[in-house]
Amino acid sequence: MKALALLLAAASLALPLRAQTEYRFSPVNQANITTAASYWNPIVAYVSEKSGVKLTLKLGRTSADTTAYVLAQEVEFAFTNHLFSPEREQMGWKVFGRRNTPALHGQIVVPADSPITDLAQLDGKEVGFPGPEAFLAYKTTYAQLLSRKLNVRTVFGGNMDGAFAQLFSGKVAAVGANSQLVEGYAKREGKQFRVLWSSEPYHDLALMASPKVPAAHVQAVAKAFAGMASDPQGRDILAAGGKLIGLPADAHFIASDGHEYAAYRRFYQSAPAALR
C-alpha cells in the first residue's frame, strides 16, 4: 500500500497544473459592456485552457467596478491601472504582465468641429469623464484642469464609451479620455476629435494578481498570456479582439515585473489629495 501511495503521488506531480479552484478575473471596463465582454471572453477561455488555471470573467458595468471588486476581495486577477497609489500598493497585488501597446496619454478632447480650441474655454462648462477611478481619463486630466484653476462641472459616463456618447450628443463640452480609447472610438464609430491637452506617456494597463493566489498559478497564467502571440490560436484571438476595440494589429500581452509603472507612482507623489 505504501508503494502504491508513492506511485500515485509521483504520478500526480507529472500531471499538468490544474487549479483546485476558480479564480475571478476582472478587467477595467473601458468600453460598453457588450464590446468589453466580446473582447475578453475568448482571451479568458484561452488562458484558462493553456494554463490549466480556471479563470472566470467578472466584468463590471463601469470602469470603477473592477477596483470595487479588488477592494472587496471579490476577484483574484485584474487588468487595471487603479492600484498604484501608495495606499493600494500596500494591498500586495503584483504586476505579472501588460499589453505592449504604444504609450498612452490622458487627453482632454472635443469634437473636431467644436468651437472650443483652448482649455481656458472650458471654464464654467460641463466636462465628461468615464468615472472617478479612471487614471488616465479622469485623474491626469482633472488634475490638469485643477492646476489651471478652471471651474468645470464633472459628469461621469460610467465608462469611456458612455463619456464619448455624452460628448457627441452635446451633453458635455469636452471629455477627459485615454488616447488609446480616443483612437479606438474614432476607428469604430467614424468620429473625429480635437486634442486640447495631452499628458506625459504612461504604459497600458497591467495584468495583476492578488497575493492570495499561489505563485505556481500566477506563473502559469502569466505564461499563457505571454504565449498568445507565438501561438496561431492565440494570435487569431488577439487579432479579432484588437480589431473589435481598435487596437494596433500587433497588440499582445508581454511579461512585466511592474517597473514600467513608475510614472503612475510619480503622479501620486504630487497629485491633489482628492485624486490620490
Side-chain angles (χ1 to χ4, degrees):
M1 290 296 292
K2 184 176 180 180
L4 178 59
L6 289 172
L7 285 172
L8 290 173
S12 68
L13 291 174
L15 291 174
L17 175 66
R18 292 291 163 188
Q20 298 303 304
T21 183
E22 289 188 2
Y23 296 115
R24 295 152 296 186
F25 172 71
S26 185
V28 168
N29 185 1
Q30 298 176 313
N32 64 74
I33 196 165
T34 301
T35 300
S38 297
Y39 174 77
W40 282 109
N41 272 322
I43 293 174
V44 169
Y46 174 93
V47 170
S48 294
E49 177 187 353
K50 296 297 182 179
S51 68
V53 178
K54 177 63 177 176
L55 301 182
T56 57
L57 182 65
K58 186 175 177 66
L59 188 62
R61 184 182 63 82
T62 72
S63 62
D65 284 346
T66 290
T67 303
Y69 298 152
V70 169
L71 296 177
Q73 301 186 52
E74 294 178 1
V75 297
E76 294 78 34
F77 288 91
F79 184 61
T80 181
N81 58 2
H82 296 179
L83 302 180
F84 295 117
S85 66
E87 179 181 352
R88 289 178 180 172
E89 286 206 306
Q90 293 178 15
M91 298 170 60
W93 280 64
K94 298 297 184 183
V95 175
F96 64 85
R98 65 180 179 87
R99 208 161 44 192
N100 73 326
T101 53
L104 310 181
H105 303 265
Q107 292 184 332
I108 299 173
V109 300
V110 296
D113 59 358
S114 170
I116 296 173
T117 58
D118 186 87
L119 287 181
Q121 294 172 270
L122 296 178
D123 193 45
K125 291 184 168 56
E126 292 189 333
V127 177
F129 305 92
E133 287 287 355
F135 178 84
L136 288 169
Y138 174 64
K139 294 192 176 186
T140 69
T141 58
Y142 194 60
Q144 181 61 206
L145 295 171
L146 289 176
S147 73
R148 294 173 183 245
K149 296 180 170 53
L150 297 176
N151 180 27
V152 302
R153 298 187 294 278
T154 60
V155 179
F156 294 124
N159 54 52
M160 202 69 255
D161 277 9
F164 287 144
Q166 292 176 332
L167 178 66
F168 286 103
S169 70
K171 183 174 181 179
V172 297
V175 297
N178 172 323
S179 60
Q180 181 187 90
L181 304 182
V182 170
E183 294 174 9
Y185 193 84
K187 289 178 183 178
R188 283 189 286 119
E189 305 296 334
K191 300 293 187 181
Q192 294 184 318
F193 295 89
R194 176 186 300 135
V195 178
L196 302 181
W197 175 82
S198 191
S199 75
E200 69 169 297
Y202 293 87
H203 279 295
D204 200 353
L205 281 63
L207 289 164
M208 302 186 73
S210 162
K212 297 187 299 182
V213 182
H217 292 170
V218 175
Q219 291 165 6
V221 169
K223 182 179 179 181
F225 269 107
M228 291 187 75
S230 59
D231 174 53
Q233 180 189 0
R235 285 199 300 272
D236 288 345
I237 291 171
L238 290 170
K243 184 176 181 181
L244 176 68
I245 62 175
L247 289 176
D250 63 345
H252 60 275
F253 298 100
I254 61 175
S256 171
D257 62 5
H259 76 275
E260 303 98 325
Y261 294 91
Y264 288 83
R265 300 180 178 100
R266 285 197 304 272
F267 171 85
Y268 286 111
Q269 291 173 3
S270 59
L275 298 178
R276 293 177 192 167

